[in-house]
Structure formats: C-alpha cells, structure tokens
C-alpha cells in the first residue's frame, strides 16, 4: 500500500508583542509542526523545538539573545468518522542573555486543543485506490491558560517582558483550514490559520495572528520504510499588542521563512526533523530579529 501524508501544523503562536519599555523575542511564535501520516489511527508523540531571537541587534548596550527550547507532548484521535481531535501540552525552557547577565525561566506553557472536520477526503470516499487524492479539513480550537503569566517589574531577577512568560494568561481561539493534494508519490500541503487573542488579568492582549504554510514533498520507498523530504515556505503576520486599551507600537510584524524537512515512516513509528530560515522579516518595528529554528519529533500510531 502506498503511504500518503497530510501536513498538520502546530497552531499555538504568540505574537512578538512586548511592553513598550522592552522588546523581547517571541516565545512560541512560528512553531512548525511538520508532516504526519494520514490515517484513521490514533497518534501519540513528543517533539523538541528550538527557537532563537536577537533583540536590539544593532546596539552594543541593549542587545539581548533569547533562546526558547520547547518539549511538547501531542496526541491525535478520531472520536467519530471524519472528525479529528488534536491536543498539545508544551513545557518550555527559556533563556535571555544580555551584556551583563543571563536569566532563565522554565515552566509549563499553554495547552491547545484542535477539532477539524474532513470536508473532502478521497482516500475515504473512493471504493478503489487511485493515484490522485486530495483532502480538505476545516475547524478550529482553543488555547488554554495553563502556563504562568506573572512577573514583577521591580524584581531584577525577573525578565519584565510579556513574551518571556511561560503562558499568555488568556483563553484564545483558533480557526484553520488544511488542504493536501497527492499524485502518486508527490504531494502539496497547505494550511491557513487565524488566531484571536483575548485580554489577560494584567490588561494586556497579544496581537491577533494570521499565518500559513505551503510544503511540497515526495515519498521514497526504502525497503519497508517510507522516506519523505519536504521543502516549503512559512509566513505569519501579527497585529499590535494592546496594554490598558492602548496599542503597543513596538509589537507585531511579519515573517517569511523557508522550510526544509525529512520524515521517516516505519510501520507504527514516525520520526521527523525540520528547520526554518527567515527569508524576510519585520518584527517589533525592527527591534527583534528571528533566527533559524529546528524541530525534532517522534510519533507512535496505535
């Protein structure tokens, strides 16, 4: 049987919003999920994502470097035919290096639950196998405030910045659509998503986000395994953050990145690696620069 894939992308995004007095790299912005096997089987996995940002890159005094290492457990299951549910629970390790010291913060981040409906799925609808197939899933989800959003601006050991916190302190909402088309061993996967953020108890609201992906991939049979390289683009646009009803001008922005990846499918296991490199960006009016990102993940089908 030919192995077919569908691209599913992690939707938990924080905008590069910051308080006006300080700019900081985005803690979970632009996390790319990679390829997953298309099937009606449940899936349990773990992944590691590393992101780097530089703040005030042209200043020798204010320059800081932020590194976010996120380890995440994720699951997928199908409660009824055509309905897919996915859940994500991340734990984040953050580090900020300035010209004078290094600060660290670890903790549980915000969980996300997504529900999507298979509007089109020719793999399910056709009685006979075909070399051409396509699928369309639409749905949405919710991000829960399981991570901590709390700091003391008068405490020198804290990073007094919204983006450095483990969570946003809000319940946010997501709309998304996924479309995948396959012809023999070739495939194209596309996603567009919109995230609507609410205001937390500190009267801060991260800017809403719009983002999308497009990935071209090809599967190669290697013995009993399937090896799938992919190449594509990732784009995001974040609106300005709002504090006490006023827009924070040093927030928001746009990012366009190139993506490459390689995924191995072996019976019930899937192992993948992928990377992103910014091609064009304008984050926090130039105060923040995103660097390359890397992802490693392992999943088990059951």
């Amino acid at each position: 049987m030919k192995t077919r894939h569908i691209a599913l992308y992690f939707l938990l995004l924080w905008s590069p919003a910051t308080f006006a007095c300080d700019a900081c790299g985005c803690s979970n912005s632009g996390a790319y999920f990679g390829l997953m096997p298309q099937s009606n089987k449940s899936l349990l996995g773990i992944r590691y994502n590393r992101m780097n940002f530089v703040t005030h890159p042209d200043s020798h005094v204010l320059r800081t470097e932020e590194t976010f290492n996120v380890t995440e457990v994720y699951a997928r299951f199908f409660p009824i035919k055509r309905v897919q549910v996915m859940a994500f629970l991340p734990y984040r390790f953050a580090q900020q290096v300035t010209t004078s010291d290094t600060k660290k913060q670890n903790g549980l981040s915000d969980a996300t639950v997504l529900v999507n409906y298979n509007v089109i799925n020719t793999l399910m609808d056709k009685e006979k196998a075909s070399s051409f197939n396509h699928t369309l899933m639409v749905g949405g989800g919710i991000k829960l405030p399981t991570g901590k959003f709390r700091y003391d601006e008068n405490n020198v050991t804290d990073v007094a910045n919204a983006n450095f916190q483990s969570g946003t302190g809000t319940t946010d909402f997501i709309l998304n659509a996924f479309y995948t088309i396959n012809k023999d061993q070739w495939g194209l996967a596309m996603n567009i998503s919109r995230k609507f953020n609410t205001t937390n108890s500190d009267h801060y609201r991260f800017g809403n986000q719009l983002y999308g992906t497009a990935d071209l991939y090809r599967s190669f049979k290697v013995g009993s395994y399937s090896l799938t390289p992919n190449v594509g683009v990732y784009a995001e646009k974040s609106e300005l953050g709002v504090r006490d009803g006023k827009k924070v001008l040093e927030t928001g922005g746009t990012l366009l990145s190139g993506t490459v990846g390689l995924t191995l499918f072996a019976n019930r296991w899937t192992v993948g690696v992928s990377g992103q490199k910014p091609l064009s960006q304008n984050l926090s009016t130039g105060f923040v620069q995103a660097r390359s990102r890397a992802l490693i993940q392992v999943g088990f089908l059951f």
Side-chain angles (χ1 to χ4, degrees):
M1 178 180 295
K2 294 180 179 179
T3 303
R4 308 193 193 281
H5 310 97
I6 187 168
L8 296 176
Y9 301 91
F10 185 57
L11 301 179
L12 179 57
L13 277 173
W14 288 354
S15 72
T18 64
F19 291 121
C21 62
D22 191 13
C24 176
C26 171
S27 56
N28 267 335
S29 177
Y32 173 80
F33 199 60
L35 296 173
M36 294 178 62
Q38 176 179 309
S39 73
N40 59 356
K41 292 184 178 180
S42 297
L43 173 69
L44 181 64
I46 187 170
R47 70 171 191 160
Y48 166 77
N49 190 26
R50 181 181 177 89
M51 295 166 282
N52 297 281
F53 299 85
V54 176
T55 305
H56 300 290
D58 298 326
S59 173
H60 295 292
V61 178
L62 300 177
R63 179 186 173 95
T64 64
E65 296 185 6
E66 290 91 27
T67 301
F68 301 94
N69 297 296
V70 182
T71 300
E72 180 177 48
V73 176
Y74 62 90
R76 178 186 73 183
F77 62 95
F78 298 84
I80 58 176
K81 185 178 180 180
R82 291 187 178 273
V83 175
Q84 174 187 259
V85 178
M86 296 194 73
F88 310 86
L89 183 62
Y91 190 92
R92 200 193 60 170
F93 304 84
Q95 176 177 281
Q96 183 186 72
V97 179
T98 69
T99 56
S100 59
D101 64 1
T102 298
K103 297 178 181 179
K104 298 181 180 181
Q105 180 174 284
N106 305 331
L108 186 69
S109 193
D110 290 343
T112 298
V113 178
L114 303 174
V115 180
N116 291 290
Y117 181 77
N118 246 309
V119 178
I120 300 172
N121 191 329
T122 55
L123 284 172
M124 295 172 58
D125 298 338
K126 291 181 179 180
E127 294 183 0
K128 296 182 179 180
S130 172
S131 62
F132 173 82
N133 287 283
H134 66 132
T135 64
L136 173 63
M137 290 197 306
V138 296
I142 186 171
K143 183 191 71 63
L144 303 172
T146 53
K148 184 183 73 172
F149 183 91
R150 185 174 64 252
Y151 57 88
D152 184 359
E153 292 183 341
N154 298 316
N155 188 341
V156 296
T157 63
D158 285 351
V159 178
N161 188 281
N163 283 293
F164 205 77
Q165 308 313 303
S166 298
T168 64
T170 59
T171 299
D172 304 324
F173 304 94
I174 301 161
L175 294 176
N176 55 248
F178 303 93
Y179 181 72
T180 304
I181 184 170
N182 288 92
K183 172 61 176 172
D184 294 322
Q185 301 302 311
W186 288 90
L188 177 65
M190 294 172 286
N191 155 240
I192 186 169
S193 302
R194 176 72 166 168
K195 183 162 174 281
F196 302 91
N197 298 316
T198 60
T199 304
N200 62 26
S201 59
D202 288 351
H203 311 291
Y204 190 87
R205 180 173 67 83
F206 291 85
N208 296 332
Q209 293 111 2
L210 174 68
Y211 49 100
T213 59
D215 280 276
L216 179 68
Y217 57 88
R218 190 191 190 285
S219 295
F220 296 90
K221 200 71 174 177
V222 182
S224 60
Y225 305 125
S226 177
L227 197 61
T228 305
N230 65 279
V231 60
V233 293
Y234 167 88
E236 69 175 66
K237 177 178 174 59
S238 299
E239 299 175 0
L240 296 178
V242 177
R243 186 185 190 187
D244 295 322
K246 297 181 181 180
K247 293 183 178 180
V248 183
L249 299 181
E250 294 83 3
T251 63
T254 58
L255 173 67
L256 176 66
S257 295
T259 63
V260 293
L262 183 66
T263 306
L264 173 69
F265 299 94
N267 297 322
R268 292 180 175 270
W269 291 94
T270 175
V271 180
V273 295
S274 61
Q276 287 186 1
K277 183 176 179 59
L279 303 175
S280 175
Q281 60 180 299
N282 181 19
L283 302 175
S284 299
T285 63
F287 285 115
V288 175
Q289 285 187 357
R291 298 295 176 90
S292 298
R293 304 168 183 176
L295 169 72
I296 302 173
Q297 62 180 350
V298 178
F300 177 73
L301 293 161
F302 59 96

